[in-house]
């Protein structure tokens, strides 16, 4: 372990904030909720209007604190209005994908020491602030008062409309996943013995058959790969890497009987044809899925049929 | 996602989209009668409301497995599972319910497999199973592999599969909607609907329904150190209390012995099974002293209590991340495990420790402390998921109100839950509740056109007058409160004086997040692992005094309602206080120690007086409901 980890230091979280403008005029006397017209006002793709600004928060933390913990501390002690999604706190629920220094990743797995960089705005001596372990080791002195790890810049996940502060509307991703019938379509047959009696009730699957899709089934639909993809986040018509991973999960499941239809569904201009194999999607997947490679194999599989 | 439009009357509202809520939705839609109805052109109006997008639900964090006597790896029998469940629960288990649990477990797990769960497999392709604490063969003789697993991600697999099947069924969701009120009729004999708050727009909806099912999960956030996710604030339990209903056995909270120091994140029991040893500040492997036979692998509640006894005796250690902090941890020493072996069999454990403690467990001891893990008690239900109140020695049902999952108490866990039984409870009794709902809908649909339909979703100016529409009235009250919450913190001249809170915030900078943290610390001091009447009293004073005052004075720090998380945080912490009070009162009333509840002032189990479920209402009054004993009279619980 890095001995320096036990010493607190300052870090600045530079947050790109956004507050949507109320959709109607607020009257001070009456209830502002009286005349809400539509219950689904916010889910459309149109860009919301509102107030946008950048806010710095300074905290004293241990270097291996997660950014999520920093933000929770900010909510508690500095600014309860800061908005960001979170739930499990340990990389399992997929709630908290944001752009950290421009790179999509999960708040709850990103640590201060791995992302803080010297502040480019305030010109300070950057010798002690390199984020490499060796630089840290070289300066084991206590860092009370003034010693700073630098700045971490946070913004909502790229490729999706911002709803408030670090909250993005990822419904488009879920809609694209749903379009691909993301559920097992099996034969429904029970295994029987030679003389026709029901033998086992579950579908049998050999460990090797499981291995063909197990990793894919670990996707938590966080959207990190989507936000990293220049095609998807660039706004082009593309069903997106997460949806393709879901399709591949079922195509490779020995129990599923709809592989052909599934391949047809992605063999489209906004399906596999839109993938440019940039492979940026693989880098930060919190479940360790090599998204780019999986899509590459999926494309080969689809092509193979013809 | 929000619903395309809000119906004026729902056949069923399901609140919660974890294993229990989604299982209920599927149980309902897959039932024969509803399938037939849909085929003949009558589609019941069903909405699943969840404060989180369903895939973010806490079910996704479950790691170990789901119990069922499939016998795929070694001979097993549901009778053995039944026995283990009753014994594990220290005989505070309703045996009719536990029988169903054990009997229907294999079908439940097989259904999950056939729905798509990527279970780990045996070499011949069957669902793989592993051993889990307390699950035995031959009525306690030797451990049996009963937990069906999917590597260490069973919850993720189940949650995603159930959601996928709901997508297949076209289930409609109201995501990131927060239910603020459960509305019953005046005599609390019939459900009328709920009030829900759409966090996207800041809109309060009055949702009328013939049937409501609560599946809102547990309440681990009552305690500072917990393995539960941030959303587990016991909402459903508080909603029931506020609607005038009772909670059953709410004093029973399971503490898992090895939470990762200040994070509370779970370190699996497997770490000790593979050779990890608990040590105190003297380096002593103290479990030898408390449980000479099983040592570090004694039952969960035994190990948790031993750890607390060491800490209480001043032999705890501080979390290295906070060396000046309290000495409230002990060491989990895994350095005796061969590093290669550790990486091979405990990959997730090693990763979690490295990731969240910055420690290499092959070289250094890991700070651990007991972490709040599971609420055994909850909203009382029958084995068909119907909510009831215990009145005059009888179960009085609330027509149309159902519950399932961790927020409910069908009483299969009694005073202590066995690992692998809670996912089973959520899926199995969720499914049963869905089926019961289906029958009720099929029975009543078409016959209830007498129901008046009010237009009350958003527009207060039209529709029925609140006096004859309790749901609309509750929604109106929420809207007014919301307005106060949003504006109370604004500049003084910006505030209409009529709207100001009765007590202006004494601590202007207070907020819901801070209050939640303070409550968690107080509850941990009072109840974690052990308690006595003094510790309970001290916490009750805070809950009724300082915390209640602070909760009343809370307001938001931004007046923009859309995605204003502080609003739900305020409602959550108020729910937590409601629940905290009930848990404290129930703990106070039980003058014995049983399962997870250790009262140092009443250290023994007392079957003569307390072989009964506590039924606690909002005012703190406790009634006692006898345990259903079918064929297993209470015995000693030794392991
Ligand atoms: C770390 C960990 C590991 C575990 N491992 C296992 C295991 O190996 N085996 C096992 O059997 N059990 C395990 N458990 C326990 C098990 O995971 C839970 O008991 C179970 O998942 C609970 O499911 P549920 O559907 O009741 O609740 P949850 O999955 O918590 O779902 C609650 C739902 O309610 C919604 N909700 C809550 N309040 C509101 C509101 N006010 N308005 C609208 N919606 C609301 C939420 O959005 C969510 O969708 C584990 C628990 C933990 C903490
Ligand atoms: S593939 Fe990985 S990065 Fe993409 S959504 Fe799934 S878990 Fe997230
Ligand atoms: S909070 Fe669940 S993945 Fe980060």
């Amino acid at each position: 372990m890095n001995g320096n980890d036990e010493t607190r230091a300052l870090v600045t979280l530079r947050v790109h904030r956004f507050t949507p403008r109320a959709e109607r005029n607020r009257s001070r006397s009456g209830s502002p909720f009286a005349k809400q017209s539509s219950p689904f006002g916010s889910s459309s793709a149109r860009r919301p209007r509102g107030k946008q600004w950048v806010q710095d928060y300074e905290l004293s933390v241990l270097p291996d604190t997660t950014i999520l913990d920093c933000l929770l501390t900010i909510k508690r002690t500095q600014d309860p209005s800061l908005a960001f999604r979170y739930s499990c706190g340990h990389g399992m629920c997929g709630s908290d994908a944001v752009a950290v220094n421009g790179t999509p990743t999960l708040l709850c797995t990103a640590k201060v020491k791995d992302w803080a960089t010297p502040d480019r705005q305030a010109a300070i001596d950057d010798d002690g602030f390199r984020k490499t372990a060796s630089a840290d080791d070289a300066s084991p002195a206590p860092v009370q008062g003034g010693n700073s790890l630098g700045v971490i810049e946070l913004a909502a996940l790229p490729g999706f409309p911002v709803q408030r502060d670090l909250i993005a509307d990822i419904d488009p991703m879920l809609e694209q996943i749903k379009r691909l019938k993301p559920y097992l379509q099996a034969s429904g047959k029970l295994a029987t013995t030679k003389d026709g009696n029901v033998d086992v009730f579950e579908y049998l699957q050999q460990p090797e058959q499981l291995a063909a899709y197990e990793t894919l089934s670990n996707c938590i639909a966080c959207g990190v790969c989507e936000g990293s993809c220049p095609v998807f986040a660039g706004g082009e018509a593309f069903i997106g890497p997460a949806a393709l991973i879901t399709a591949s999960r079922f195509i490779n499941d020995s129990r599923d009987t709809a592989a052909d239809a599934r391949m047809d569904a992605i063999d489209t201009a906004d399906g596999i044809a839109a993938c440019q194999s940039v492979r940026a999607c693989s880098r930060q997947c919190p479940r360790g899925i090599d998204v780019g490679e999986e899509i590459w194999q999926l494309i080969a599989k689809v092509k193979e049929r013809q | 996602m929000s619903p395309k439009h809000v119906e004026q009357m729902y056949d069923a509202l399901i609140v919660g989209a974890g294993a229990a809520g989604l299982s209920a939705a599927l149980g309902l839609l897959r039932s024969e009668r509803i399938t037939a109805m849909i085929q003949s052109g009558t589609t019941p109006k069903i909405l699943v409301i969840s404060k989180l997008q369903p895939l973010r639900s806490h079910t996704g964090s479950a790691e170990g497995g789901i119990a069922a006597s499939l016998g795929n790896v070694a001979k097993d029998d549901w009778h053995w599972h039944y026995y283990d469940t009753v014994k594990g629960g220290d005989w505070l288990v309703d045996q009719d319910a536990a029988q169903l649990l054990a009997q229907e477990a294999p079908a439940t797990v097989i259904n999950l497999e056939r729905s798509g769960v990527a279970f780990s497999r045996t070499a011949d392709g069957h669902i793989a199973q592993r051993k889990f604490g307390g699950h035995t063969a031959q009525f306690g003789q030797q451990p049996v592999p009963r937990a069906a697993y999917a590597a260490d991600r069973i919850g993720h697999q189940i949650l995603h599969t159930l959601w996928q099947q709901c997508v297949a069924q076209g289930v409609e969701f109201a995501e990131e909607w927060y239910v603020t009120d459960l509305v019953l009729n005046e005599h609390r004999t019939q459900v009328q609907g709920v009030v829900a708050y759409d966090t996207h727009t800041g809109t309060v909806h009055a949702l009328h329904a013939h049937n409501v099912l609560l599946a809102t999960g547990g309440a681990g956030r009552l305690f500072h150190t917990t393995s539960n996710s941030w959303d587990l604030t016991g909402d459903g339990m508080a909603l029931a209390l506020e609607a005038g209903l009772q909670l059953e056995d709410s004093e029973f909270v399971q503490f898992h012995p090895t939470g990762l120091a200040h994070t509370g994140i779970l370190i699996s029991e497997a770490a000790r099974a593979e050779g990890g040893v608990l040590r105190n500040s003297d380096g002593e492997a103290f479990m030898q002293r408390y449980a000479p036979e099983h040592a570090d692998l004694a039952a969960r509640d035994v190990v948790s209590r031993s750890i607390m006894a060491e800490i209480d005796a001043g032999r705890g250690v501080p979390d290295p991340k906070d060396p000046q902090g309290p000495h409230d941890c002990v060491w989990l020493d895994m350095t005796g495990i061969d590093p290669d072996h550790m990486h091979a069999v405990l990959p997730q454990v090693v990763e979690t420790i490295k990731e969240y403690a910055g420690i290499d467990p092959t070289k250094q001891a890991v700070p651990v402390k007991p972490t709040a893990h599971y609420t055994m008690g909850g909203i009382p239900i029958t084995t068909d998921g119907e909510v009831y109140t215990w009145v005059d020695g009888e179960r009085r049902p609330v027509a149309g109100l159902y519950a399932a999952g961790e927020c409910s108490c069908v009483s299969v866990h009694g005073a202590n839950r066995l690992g692998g039984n809670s996912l089973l409870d959520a899926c199995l009794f969720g499914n049963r509740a869905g089926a019961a709902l289906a029958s009720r809908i099929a029975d009543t649909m078409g016959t209830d056109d007498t129901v008046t339909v009010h237009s009350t979703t958003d527009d207060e100016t039209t529709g029925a007058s609140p006096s004859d529409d309790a749901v609309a009235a509750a929604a109106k009250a929420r809207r007014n409160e919301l307005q106060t919450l949003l504006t109370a913190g604004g500049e003084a001249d910006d505030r209409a004086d009529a709207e100001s809170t009765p007590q202006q915030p004494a601590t202007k900078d207070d907020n819901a997040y801070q209050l939640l943290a303070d409550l968690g610390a107080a509850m941990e001091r009072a109840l974690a692992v052990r308690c006595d009447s003094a510790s309970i009293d001290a916490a009750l004073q805070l809950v009724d005094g300082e915390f209640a005052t602070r909760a009343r004075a809370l307001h938001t720090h931004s007046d923009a309602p859309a995605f204003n998380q502080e609003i739900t945080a305020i409602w959550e912490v108020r729910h937590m206080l409601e629940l905290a009070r009930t848990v404290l009162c129930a703990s106070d009333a039980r003058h014995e120690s049983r399962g997870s509840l250790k009262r140092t002032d009443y250290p023994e189990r007392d079957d003569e007086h307390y072989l009964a479920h506590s039924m606690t209402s909002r005012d703190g009054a406790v009634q006692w409901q006898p345990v259903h004993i079918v064929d297993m009279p209470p015995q000693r619980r030794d392991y």
Side-chain angles (χ1 to χ4, degrees):
Chain A
M1 189 179 82
N2 186 335
N4 204 31
D5 280 3
E6 286 166 30
T7 325
R8 288 180 177 269
L10 293 178
V11 64
T12 302
L13 299 193
R14 183 158 295 155
V15 185
H16 289 254
R17 300 198 61 184
F18 171 75
T19 306
R21 186 171 300 147
E23 306 219 326
R24 57 210 171 271
N25 290 332
R26 292 190 53 192
S27 70
R28 225 163 259 169
S29 47
S31 155
F33 311 101
K35 278 272 184 263
Q36 169 72 345
S37 53
S38 137
F40 56 103
S42 72
S43 62
S44 74
R46 94 194 117 85
R47 197 154 289 279
R49 290 173 309 154
K51 185 176 150 206
Q52 232 174 322
W53 75 105
V54 176
Q55 191 162 345
D56 279 5
Y57 298 95
E58 197 168 70
L59 286 180
S60 162
V61 298
L62 297 168
D64 67 355
T65 306
T66 65
I67 299 177
L68 176 62
D69 278 337
C70 295
L71 292 178
L72 289 169
T73 305
I74 291 171
K75 252 184 186 305
R76 211 165 48 237
T77 59
Q78 298 186 24
D79 183 356
S81 75
L82 184 62
F84 49 95
R85 286 199 184 92
Y86 58 99
S87 176
C88 72
H90 58 272
M92 271 315 290
C93 74
S95 298
D96 55 342
V98 307
V100 180
N101 297 341
T103 303
T105 190
L106 300 182
L107 288 171
C108 64
T109 55
K111 286 186 195 152
V112 168
K113 67 174 177 204
D114 297 328
W115 291 96
T117 55
D119 190 352
R120 272 165 280 125
Q121 292 187 357
I124 44 167
D125 165 27
D126 82 11
D127 261 20
F129 304 110
R130 262 173 281 137
K131 61 173 184 166
T132 57
S134 56
D136 282 20
D137 284 339
S139 56
V143 281
Q144 298 301 326
N147 200 350
S148 170
L149 293 157
V151 176
I152 300 174
E153 199 162 325
L154 301 175
L157 187 65
F160 298 93
V162 185
Q163 290 171 311
R164 184 165 185 161
D165 296 345
L166 300 178
I167 298 180
D169 180 9
I170 59 153
D171 277 356
M173 171 179 73
L174 295 168
E175 287 309 310
Q176 283 166 321
I177 290 175
K178 285 188 211 164
R179 239 175 73 196
L180 297 179
K181 306 202 169 151
Y183 41 86
L184 185 70
Q185 299 173 52
S187 65
K189 285 203 193 98
L190 298 173
T192 51
T193 57
K194 283 206 185 86
D195 48 0
N197 292 326
V198 171
D199 186 7
V200 281
F201 292 92
E202 77 248 49
Y203 298 121
L204 294 179
Q205 187 166 60
Q206 308 309 313
E208 323 71 85
Q209 294 175 314
L210 172 66
Y213 75 97
E214 190 177 16
T215 310
L216 298 167
S217 75
N218 292 336
C219 169
I220 53 176
C222 65
V224 161
C225 54
E226 308 241 311
S228 310
C229 171
V231 181
F232 183 92
E236 282 171 58
F238 179 28
I239 193 158
L244 291 178
I245 289 297
T246 313
S248 186
R249 178 244 175 272
F250 289 104
I251 289 169
N252 287 294
D253 186 335
S254 58
R255 300 170 294 177
D256 195 85
T257 55
D260 259 334
R262 293 183 189 281
M263 289 198 254
D264 289 344
I266 54 172
D267 196 2
T268 57
D270 70 344
I272 52 171
C275 173
Q276 296 173 13
S277 298
V278 183
R279 298 199 175 209
C281 50
S282 294
R283 271 175 233 145
Q284 295 289 334
C285 171
R287 304 313 299 161
I289 302 171
D290 189 343
V291 183
E293 176 62 21
E294 296 290 351
I295 294 176
W296 183 253
Q297 291 184 15
L298 180 65
I299 293 173
K301 203 170 203 139
V302 173
K303 296 262 160 74
E304 221 169 73
R305 308 188 295 165
Q306 289 140 10
Chain B
M1 283 290 284
S2 292
K4 296 252 161 18
H5 68 273
V6 172
E7 301 287 347
Q8 295 182 330
M9 175 62 76
Y10 283 94
D11 294 299
L13 290 171
I14 295 174
V15 185
L22 298 178
S23 295
L26 291 173
L28 199 178
L29 287 165
R30 286 168 171 176
S31 69
E32 266 175 45
R33 292 178 71 188
I34 297 294
T35 314
M37 266 172 69
I38 294 174
Q39 272 164 5
S40 66
T42 323
T43 307
K45 295 188 173 112
I46 295 158
L47 181 66
V48 180
I49 308 171
S50 175
K51 68 177 178 181
L52 304 174
Q53 198 281 332
L55 296 177
R56 315 306 174 205
S57 299
H58 180 66
T59 292
S61 292
E63 297 163 2
I66 176 167
S69 58
L70 295 164
N72 287 353
V73 176
K75 181 174 158 41
D76 202 356
D77 185 318
W78 74 260
H79 293 90
W80 303 342
H81 186 187
Y82 168 40
Y83 168 82
D84 292 337
T85 301
V86 172
K87 177 184 172 189
D90 216 348
W91 272 272
L92 196 75
V93 170
D94 280 346
Q95 296 182 3
D96 48 346
Q99 231 174 56
L100 273 174
L101 183 88
Q103 238 172 331
E104 292 184 6
T108 303
V109 170
I110 285 168
N111 265 327
L112 288 169
E113 192 282 329
R114 290 178 71 86
S115 296
V117 170
F119 280 108
S120 296
R121 300 287 172 157
T122 62
D124 58 356
H126 288 81
I127 297 169
Q129 296 184 276
R130 59 162 58 122
K131 291 175 189 162
F132 242 48
H135 290 284
T136 68
Q138 307 284 359
F139 308 104
Q141 290 305 303
Q142 72 273 348
V144 71
R146 184 176 291 147
Y149 63 96
D152 49 9
R153 294 175 288 263
I154 186 64
H156 163 81
Q157 285 291 341
I158 289 178
L159 180 66
H160 280 243
T161 296
L162 293 173
W163 177 78
Q164 291 162 355
Q165 290 299 325
C166 285
V167 170
Q169 294 278 349
V171 172
E172 185 167 43
F173 288 98
E175 296 171 0
E176 301 189 312
W177 283 33
Y178 181 85
V179 171
T180 57
D181 299 81
L182 168 68
V183 185
L184 309 180
N185 68 353
E186 202 185 338
H187 303 291
R188 293 183 221 122
T189 50
Q190 168 107 37
V191 74
Q192 297 195 318
V194 304
V195 178
Y197 174 71
D198 174 359
T199 64
H200 294 197
T201 58
T203 314
V204 174
H205 294 278
L207 301 176
H208 297 81
H210 295 307
N211 299 286
V212 172
L213 182 138
L214 298 173
T216 55
R221 286 286 150 190
L222 271 178
F223 298 91
H224 171 74
T225 305
T226 175
S227 64
N228 286 194
S229 55
W230 285 96
D231 57 293
L232 289 176
T233 52
D235 290 317
M237 304 177 195
L239 288 172
L241 284 171
E242 286 171 359
L245 304 177
Q246 302 158 325
L247 294 188
E248 179 173 357
D249 291 342
S250 58
E251 64 273 35
F252 294 102
V253 179
Q254 180 172 76
F255 283 79
H256 193 288
T258 54
L260 184 57
H262 81 296
T263 67
I265 299 174
L266 203 68
I267 297 180
S268 161
E269 225 158 276
R272 279 169 289 137
E274 296 295 339
V277 175
L278 293 165
R279 295 186 188 279
N280 60 20
S281 58
D282 303 332
E284 182 204 3
F286 58 85
M287 280 310 298
Q288 300 283 357
R289 222 176 334 114
Y290 294 93
E293 241 172 79
H294 294 93
D296 291 279
L297 284 175
R300 274 183 194 176
D301 50 342
V302 175
V303 179
S304 287
R305 279 198 287 277
S306 309
I307 293 175
M308 286 314 250
E310 287 301 296
I311 292 167
D312 288 346
R315 291 189 290 270
V317 298
D319 180 352
K321 287 201 174 192
D322 185 13
Q324 259 59 267
H327 292 217
D328 59 356
C329 301
V330 295
W331 297 120
L332 173 62
D333 178 4
M334 299 166 66
T335 56
I337 308 174
D338 173 68
D340 290 338
H341 182 66
M342 194 192 301
H343 286 287
V345 298
L346 300 169
Q348 191 65 50
V349 169
V350 174
E351 194 191 308
T352 303
I353 294 170
K354 281 194 170 155
E355 184 79 15
Y356 292 99
I359 284 174
D360 177 354
T362 63
K363 302 207 179 87
Q364 281 175 290
V366 183
V368 294
K369 69 190 260 196
T371 184
H373 190 50
Y374 187 82
T375 43
M376 269 73 74
I379 306 165
I381 54 168
T382 68
T383 50
D384 283 322
E386 303 147 310
V387 176
Y388 65 87
T389 39
W390 182 254
V391 189
D392 301 332
E394 262 180 18
R395 292 182 169 192
R396 196 175 72 183
V398 183
L401 183 61
Y402 297 79
E406 195 169 336
C407 74
S408 71
C409 179
V410 68
S411 200
V412 289
H413 308 304
N416 175 58
R417 158 188 82 104
L418 287 191
N421 267 358
S422 50
L423 284 171
L424 178 61
D425 170 12
C427 294
L428 189 157
F429 286 103
N431 189 63
R432 285 181 67 94
L437 251 170
S439 302
R440 205 177 120 85
I441 291 173
D443 285 345
T444 54
M445 240 173 110
T447 65
D448 61 5
D449 33 20
T450 51
V451 167
T452 37
V453 170
H454 304 305
S455 167
T456 48
T457 40
D458 295 307
D459 198 332
E460 290 176 286
T461 59
T462 63
S465 72
S467 60
D468 62 302
D469 183 343
V471 186
K476 184 162 193 259
R478 277 296 163 194
R479 279 187 203 107
N480 291 339
E481 186 199 13
L482 177 65
Q483 173 74 350
T484 311
L485 292 180
L486 284 168
T487 50
E491 296 95 313
D493 57 351
D494 201 12
R495 201 187 312 141
D497 31 30
E499 311 276 12
S500 51
T501 39
Q503 284 154 301
Q504 274 311 304
T507 40
K508 190 141 173 53
D509 279 343
D510 202 11
N511 64 68
Y513 305 103
Q514 187 58 51
L515 181 51
L516 183 66
D518 294 346
L519 173 65
M523 289 295 280
E524 193 152 311
R525 274 195 308 275
L527 289 185
V529 184
R530 78 278 186 252
C531 62
D532 59 24
S533 78
S535 76
I536 294 170
D537 273 357
L540 263 175
Q541 290 204 359
L542 276 173
V543 167
D544 283 340
E546 180 199 322
F547 293 164
T549 310
R550 285 172 61 187
R552 274 197 299 274
L554 289 174
H555 58 80
T556 65
H557 292 73
S558 152
D559 63 359
F563 294 95
N564 190 328
Q565 295 176 313
E566 240 189 318
I567 303 217
T568 38
I570 290 170
W571 285 330
E572 282 174 345
V573 76
R574 288 177 178 174
H575 278 161
M576 292 258 80
L577 282 173
E578 195 74 65
L579 187 57
R581 202 168 182 285
T582 306
V583 171
L584 288 164
C585 289
S587 306
D588 192 37
R590 187 176 287 276
H591 292 179
E592 65 160 353
S593 292
R594 183 187 294 271
S596 70
L597 183 77
K598 177 71 176 181
R599 288 203 51 158
T600 49
D601 43 358
Y602 299 100
E604 300 302 326
R605 194 174 91 184
D606 176 359
D607 287 337
E608 194 187 326
H609 299 100
Y610 294 103
L611 190 62
H613 304 293
S614 68
M615 308 295 293
T616 312
S617 49
R618 193 182 189 184
D619 59 8
V622 179
Q623 318 235 18
W624 300 95
Q625 178 187 181
V627 174
H628 296 186
I629 306 281
V630 177
D631 51 9
M632 278 191 264
Q635 298 168 15
R636 278 176 55 91
R637 179 170 165 265
D638 301 316
Y639 280 102

